[in-house]
Amino acid sequence: FPTSTYIKMWADTQRELDTMLQREREDFLQPEEDREKVMKMLATAYVQYLEIFRKLEAAHDHLIHQQKRAAVRQVLDGVMGRILEIKKEMVALEKSECHYMDGILMDLKRVPEDIEIPIPKYFVKENLRILREREEYLHEILLNAGLLEQEPVRAMTLEEGIKVIQVAERARQGRARAAFMKKIYLEEKRQSRKAEPKTGKSPDDAATHIQKVWRGYSQRKKTEKLREEEMIFLGMNSTEMINGTGSLPSDLEAMSALQKANVLQGEVREREDFSFRHELRETEGPHIKETLQDQITQCFLECRHITGRFPDYPPEKTGGSKAIFIEKHPEQVAEELAAKKEAENKEMETNGRNQEKAKAKKPEKEKGGKQVVDLGWKMGPSNFLSILEEGSSQYQGHFLAKKELFIPSTLKYHFRTLLKTAGALDKNQIHPNFFPELAKNKMAPGTQNQPWQEWGSHPASPQGREGAAWKQQRGGRRVMSLACRTIDSLFQELAEEGLLIKVKNVNLSDYIGYYDCVRSSLRETGAQPVPSIPEVRQLVTLYGILPLGSQTVHENAPLVKSLLLAGPAGVGKKMLVHAICTETGANLFNLTPANLAGKYPGKEGLIMMLHMILKVGKGLQPSVVWIRDTEKMYYKGAAKGEEEMNFKRLAKLLPQFLKAVKAKDRVLVVGTTRRPFDANPKPFCKAYQKIILIPKPDYLTRFGKYFNSSSWLFLLHYILQGGGALTKLVNLNCLAQVSDGFTQGHVVDVVHTVLTELRLLQMARKPLRTVEFVTSLARHDPVFNEEEETFQ
């Protein structure tokens, strides 16, 4: 589409956003006691904001003008943050991360795909060059350290080389021969044209052409004359009517004259009525207005003299002051007074009962003695409404009225964002005090025993001037201080130790799954079913991708520092971690207990390792710290061996690590576990703010299409991705039924086991059969219902 299409989309979306802001001022500021009404209001706003978010993201991705992109970017960040705030309110209201929205979608005439959360492309596009350079640098480090196997270059045999040369030479000769033959053909055609005698047309051809032209002209003239004669016969001669010389039949002419006279008379009457009303309003209007005001005043004074108080002014829906001058019969007045008195008596009785109940019931008090007053639900303060209002005012003042005018405020916001990014990527300007506790503990006595103290001597001490870059550890080892090391050196060391790993290029959209209406019906009855795969995608996007991708969102939105992905083996937890890093361009640190074995031993080593990770993570934002099999750090009972002791120490240091991560630091700790019930629940759940349960694929995901006929089947997707070809001999319905209880990892392993290189070569003469997949699937253990209930 052209750019004008997206400019119009931006304008329409901005109007919708202004309407949403006006609605929020009216609805969300008032306390509300009905929880269902509040939830419906929040869910409606959530869906509408998602639609605005989707349109703004499309407009920002296709606009070229930098000032317009900066203006859209500001509003886009505000909408993302507002969605996260509304999601927080919905979770606090329902005490659940998944919500029943089918009724809201039906009311708004939306489909489940409309609540899929889009991922802005500018997360990666704006830093694409830096990310590619960092990826090449990491690849080079891992290659030099021997952690990556370089793909061997396969040597070509003599026969293969001769065959390639023959094919290329024959193709060259064929192209040369085709060009030569074309040249000969064109030359022969040119010579044959020169040999033809140049003679004019024969007299017979010329006579035929002249006859054709003349007969056409004469026939057109005859037809025109016949048409005019017919019109004259009917009294509808078009030429005379156009010139005004023709005449209609007497009755038609009289009717036309009468219609014209009526129209003129109506116009004159309307003009006279308008002038009369205008003159009357100017001359008698002030006097009539003053008379009516006096009558109303007199009426109110008489009522006060009779009743002792002024009467209520009639509301606008009953006619306002016009209702005072309506003439009513005495019976009507008596009925109105009786109804009003009865309503007042009922209201007084209701208030009396409420007061008696309030007196009978003792006021609830807190421990401190303060009375608890429940005023109902009220929307909490927002950090993003001001950003949205500012973006709306900038659009109204600069783009809507002045089209292409220079926008200093918007450009300032754009430059501020660029400066923040540049400052974060400046490797030599990173301040050494990453932890706030360091600055406090430096001046406090006894800082030598603090675990998060500065790595190195105090500058004021005698050894600080000479060896400030070194620290004496227990056991006589000297470890270099991090304050004097650059981000590049720390980056290289972490990569060589295997703690900084390469991210696999997978997108969140590759995590295939569809909505299940049965889950929604169960949730409607009050049960809490396992979340579906689309809900998992939404939660990962909300808590992981959006805050990591935008600095503004991360600083102002509800802060989520840690995220836990729990589920059986093979459901895609590792894939989701890599998808978060791919969609945001984040670094991936691997703190899996198995990966830490033998690296940075002891408490001081763990502290130094976490300090290095935090310094690199803050310097090269965004960053993801991945802890695989995190339940091993929280095993019940005493630690056995040095490795388990290190895991226990890491579990104790993790809360301090999370405390050092501030709102300005785009660092996220993601834990994955397949046996969360083996861990001690209290410290385990305390370490992670959000816990997402990953389900196994249901029947609809494994087989069924979801509305869109172009959607790939789950099994079909993996079979075709592995290079297989489907025929009628493969019964997908049977495979979907048999694979109930198996995870995505099991399906991928089965496809890879069946579609070997030899089997792919035999595909043409021996098509795939259902029994091949079933036999391989039977070798795996499914996720039984008991294990799934344990997760729930």
Side-chain angles (χ1 to χ4, degrees):
F1 296 104
T3 308
S4 59
T5 303
Y6 296 99
I7 294 177
K8 185 178 182 300
M9 181 188 294
W10 177 28
D12 297 340
T13 308
Q14 196 68 45
R15 283 193 292 271
E16 294 177 11
L17 183 60
D18 293 340
T19 306
M20 282 293 302
L21 294 176
Q22 181 64 28
R23 192 178 304 159
E24 282 207 28
R25 297 188 197 100
E26 296 174 356
D27 298 342
F28 287 175
L29 296 181
Q30 301 297 329
E32 182 63 46
E33 296 182 358
D34 190 356
R35 298 281 172 167
E36 292 184 0
K37 184 178 178 182
V38 172
M39 188 61 199
K40 185 176 181 180
M41 190 166 54
L42 287 173
T44 304
Y46 179 79
V47 175
Q48 290 174 343
Y49 268 119
L50 280 179
E51 186 175 359
I52 292 173
F53 177 31
R54 190 174 292 104
K55 293 179 181 178
L56 284 175
E57 196 279 325
H60 180 268
D61 186 41
H62 292 87
L63 286 177
I64 301 174
H65 197 285
Q66 291 299 322
Q67 295 177 9
K68 291 178 182 177
R69 284 176 59 86
V72 177
R73 164 78 177 276
Q74 181 181 2
V75 181
L76 186 61
D77 290 343
V79 171
M80 284 192 289
R82 190 58 184 154
I83 290 173
L84 291 173
E85 290 177 344
I86 294 176
K87 178 67 176 180
K88 179 185 176 183
E89 294 290 337
M90 294 166 65
V91 172
L93 198 65
E94 286 198 336
K95 308 299 181 186
S96 173
E97 295 288 349
C98 304
H99 314 287
Y100 173 71
M101 288 191 180
D102 290 3
I104 305 297
L105 293 175
M106 290 180 65
D107 293 342
L108 297 175
K109 297 181 180 179
R110 300 288 187 271
V111 294
E113 281 88 349
D114 290 333
I115 58 175
E116 284 282 351
I117 303 174
I119 300 173
K121 297 181 179 61
Y122 80 84
F123 287 172
V124 176
K125 274 188 176 180
E126 292 189 354
N127 302 315
L128 189 58
R129 183 181 59 84
I130 298 173
L131 294 177
R132 285 178 178 173
E133 291 177 356
R134 190 184 303 168
E135 185 180 359
E136 292 174 359
Y137 181 52
L138 177 61
H139 182 77
E140 183 181 353
I141 293 173
L142 296 177
L143 203 60
N144 294 335
L147 299 177
L148 282 182
E149 294 183 1
Q150 191 172 6
E151 296 181 0
V153 180
R154 190 168 81 74
M156 188 180 294
T157 61
L158 180 62
E159 291 78 6
E160 291 176 346
I162 293 174
K163 188 176 181 179
V164 169
I165 294 173
Q166 286 178 346
V167 170
E169 179 61 23
R170 288 170 182 171
R172 187 194 66 79
Q173 292 178 3
R175 288 192 295 271
R177 180 171 179 80
F180 180 69
M181 295 302 295
K182 183 178 179 181
K183 185 177 179 181
I184 293 175
Y185 170 75
L186 293 176
E187 184 66 26
E188 290 179 352
K189 190 175 181 181
R190 190 163 45 250
Q191 294 294 337
S192 63
R193 287 181 180 177
K194 290 181 180 180
E196 291 179 358
K198 294 183 179 181
T199 56
K201 290 186 178 180
S202 63
D204 295 337
D205 294 339
T208 303
H209 186 69
I210 293 171
Q211 287 176 0
K212 182 176 64 174
V213 173
W214 169 250
R215 287 177 179 174
Y217 173 76
S218 62
Q219 186 60 42
R220 283 193 296 272
K221 284 294 183 181
K222 290 178 182 178
T223 305
E224 187 177 351
K225 189 176 180 180
L226 290 173
R227 187 183 296 113
E228 287 183 3
E229 291 176 356
E230 186 178 3
M231 290 296 181
I232 292 171
F233 176 74
L234 297 174
M236 299 172 61
N237 192 340
S238 57
T239 307
E240 293 178 353
M241 294 297 294
I242 292 172
N243 297 334
T245 58
S247 61
L248 292 171
S250 56
D251 53 350
L252 295 177
E253 190 171 358
M255 189 181 296
S256 176
L258 183 60
Q259 289 177 355
K260 289 180 180 178
N262 291 336
V263 171
L264 291 174
Q265 188 177 1
E267 291 178 356
V268 171
R269 189 182 301 111
E270 288 180 1
R271 196 179 299 114
E272 289 177 354
D273 292 344
F274 176 75
S275 61
F276 175 74
R277 286 196 300 269
H278 184 68
E279 184 179 356
L280 182 64
R281 187 179 290 111
E282 288 183 352
T283 56
E284 300 294 334
H287 176 67
I288 295 173
K289 184 178 179 181
E290 186 177 354
T291 304
L292 294 176
Q293 287 178 350
D294 292 341
Q295 291 179 6
I296 294 172
T297 304
Q298 184 65 25
C299 178
F300 273 61
L301 290 175
E302 290 177 359
C303 288
R304 190 189 67 168
H305 181 70
I306 296 172
T307 61
R309 66 182 184 86
F310 286 111
D312 296 332
Y313 196 83
E316 185 178 355
K317 61 183 180 180
T318 61
S321 60
K322 184 180 179 181
I324 300 174
F325 298 99
I326 296 176
E327 296 182 359
K328 297 180 181 179
H329 297 289
E331 294 83 1
Q332 294 178 351
V333 176
E335 289 177 1
E336 289 182 0
L337 291 175
K340 187 175 181 180
K341 189 174 181 179
E342 187 179 354
E344 290 178 355
N345 292 336
K346 287 183 178 179
E347 186 177 356
M348 290 176 64
E349 289 177 4
T350 306
N351 292 336
R353 291 173 185 172
N354 293 337
Q355 289 178 2
E356 290 176 1
K357 288 181 181 179
K359 289 179 181 178
K361 186 178 180 181
K362 295 182 180 180
E364 297 180 359
K365 293 187 177 181
E366 293 179 351
K367 293 182 180 180
K370 295 182 180 180
Q371 187 173 350
V372 179
V373 180
D374 188 12
L375 297 177
W377 176 89
K378 189 176 181 181
M379 190 71 176
S382 173
N383 296 328
F384 292 95
L385 286 179
S386 58
I387 296 176
L388 293 175
E389 290 173 355
E390 182 184 354
S392 178
S393 62
Q394 286 180 1
Y395 173 79
Q396 296 287 342
H398 296 288
F399 287 104
L400 188 61
K402 303 178 183 179
K403 299 295 181 184
E404 299 291 337
L405 196 64
F406 183 73
I407 311 168
S409 58
T410 309
L411 203 57
K412 188 187 298 183
Y413 170 83
H414 181 61
F415 286 155
R416 186 164 62 247
T417 306
L418 292 178
L419 287 174
K420 283 183 181 179
T421 307
L425 294 174
D426 189 359
K427 303 178 180 60
N428 299 320
Q429 299 297 325
I430 303 299
H431 198 273
N433 299 332
F434 282 99
F435 298 96
E437 288 78 7
L438 294 179
K440 298 177 184 177
N441 295 333
K442 277 184 180 180
M443 304 304 296
T447 56
Q448 289 79 8
N449 296 327
Q450 298 292 335
W452 295 96
Q453 63 179 340
E454 180 66 73
W455 299 100
S457 305
H458 197 280
S461 62
Q463 93 183 84
R465 299 187 187 92
E466 298 177 1
W470 297 89
K471 178 182 182 294
Q472 190 76 20
Q473 269 194 353
R474 297 175 187 175
R477 288 178 56 195
R478 299 175 70 198
V479 181
M480 188 175 181
S481 171
L482 301 185
C484 300
R485 296 186 61 180
T486 62
I487 298 293
D488 286 341
S489 63
L490 296 176
F491 186 90
Q492 182 176 355
E493 180 178 343
L494 291 173
E496 290 175 349
E497 292 291 338
L499 300 179
L500 182 62
I501 63 176
K502 204 169 183 180
V503 178
K504 294 181 180 179
N505 189 16
V506 291
N507 296 316
L508 191 63
S509 58
D510 297 334
Y511 191 63
I512 302 172
Y514 303 112
Y515 286 91
D516 188 1
C517 300
V518 177
R519 297 175 190 268
S520 300
S521 60
L522 288 174
R523 193 176 289 118
E524 190 177 8
T525 59
Q528 288 293 334
V530 180
S532 61
I533 290 180
E535 290 173 334
V536 171
R537 287 200 301 261
Q538 293 175 27
L539 294 175
V540 169
T541 306
L542 286 171
Y543 297 137
I545 296 176
L546 295 186
L548 284 179
S550 172
Q551 184 71 27
T552 305
V553 174
H554 197 276
E555 289 180 358
N556 299 289
L559 185 59
V560 176
K561 298 181 181 180
S562 54
L563 182 66
L564 177 66
L565 304 177
V571 293
K573 301 182 293 294
K574 179 180 176 182
M575 177 184 179
L576 290 173
V577 173
H578 285 273
I580 293 174
C581 299
T582 302
E583 299 287 0
T584 59
N587 304 299
L588 183 57
F589 299 94
N590 186 4
L591 292 189
T592 302
N595 191 37
L596 295 178
K599 303 172 185 176
Y600 300 100
K603 185 176 181 181
E604 290 81 3
L606 284 177
I607 293 174
M608 187 171 186
M609 177 195 68
L610 292 176
H611 195 177
M612 292 169 62
I613 291 174
L614 192 61
K615 186 170 183 177
V616 176
K618 287 184 176 182
L620 303 176
Q621 302 181 33
S623 299
V624 173
V625 180
W626 176 32
I627 306 178
R628 189 177 182 179
D629 297 332
T630 183
E631 76 278 356
K632 293 182 179 179
M633 300 192 305
Y634 300 94
Y635 274 157
K636 303 173 185 177
K640 299 178 182 179
E642 184 63 24
E643 287 188 6
E644 289 193 13
M645 184 67 69
N646 272 345
F647 300 161
K648 295 277 186 180
R649 290 169 183 163
L650 183 60
K652 293 180 180 179
L653 294 175
L654 187 59
Q656 301 181 42
F657 179 86
L658 293 172
K659 189 176 180 181
V661 177
K662 303 302 178 184
K664 63 180 180 179
D665 306 322
R666 288 184 290 161
V667 178
L668 178 67
V669 176
V670 181
T672 58
T673 175
R674 53 184 174 180
R675 297 188 62 83
F677 31 81
D678 291 344
N680 192 3
K682 187 174 180 181
F684 184 58
C685 296
K686 189 177 179 181
Y688 295 98
Q689 292 176 260
K690 299 292 181 180
I691 300 176
I692 303 175
L693 180 59
I694 314 296
K696 61 183 182 181
D698 52 12
Y699 177 79
L700 185 64
T701 299
R702 295 192 308 273
F703 175 74
K705 297 183 180 180
Y706 187 76
F707 293 118
N708 187 4
S709 60
S710 63
S711 299
W712 277 9
L713 309 179
F714 182 75
L715 292 164
L716 176 61
H717 170 73
Y718 288 118
I719 293 174
L720 295 180
Q721 196 178 42
L726 293 180
T727 61
K728 294 182 179 181
L729 298 176
V730 178
N731 191 345
L732 289 177
N733 189 11
C734 175
L735 287 177
Q737 293 285 358
V738 171
S739 61
D740 185 18
F742 294 91
T743 63
Q744 295 95 321
H746 294 148
V747 175
V748 173
D749 187 55
V750 166
V751 171
H752 289 169
T753 304
V754 173
L755 298 180
T756 59
E757 187 176 354
L758 178 61
R759 187 66 184 86
L760 291 175
L761 294 175
Q762 298 173 350
M763 194 78 64
R765 56 186 178 83
K766 186 181 178 183
L768 289 173
R769 294 178 177 273
T770 308
V771 66
E772 298 181 56
F773 296 99
V774 174
T775 304
S776 180
L777 192 65
R779 299 189 182 99
H780 295 81
D781 294 328
V783 179
F784 296 102
N785 293 332
E786 293 80 7
E787 183 178 356
E788 192 172 6
E789 291 174 359
T790 308
F791 273 100
Q792 295 180 16

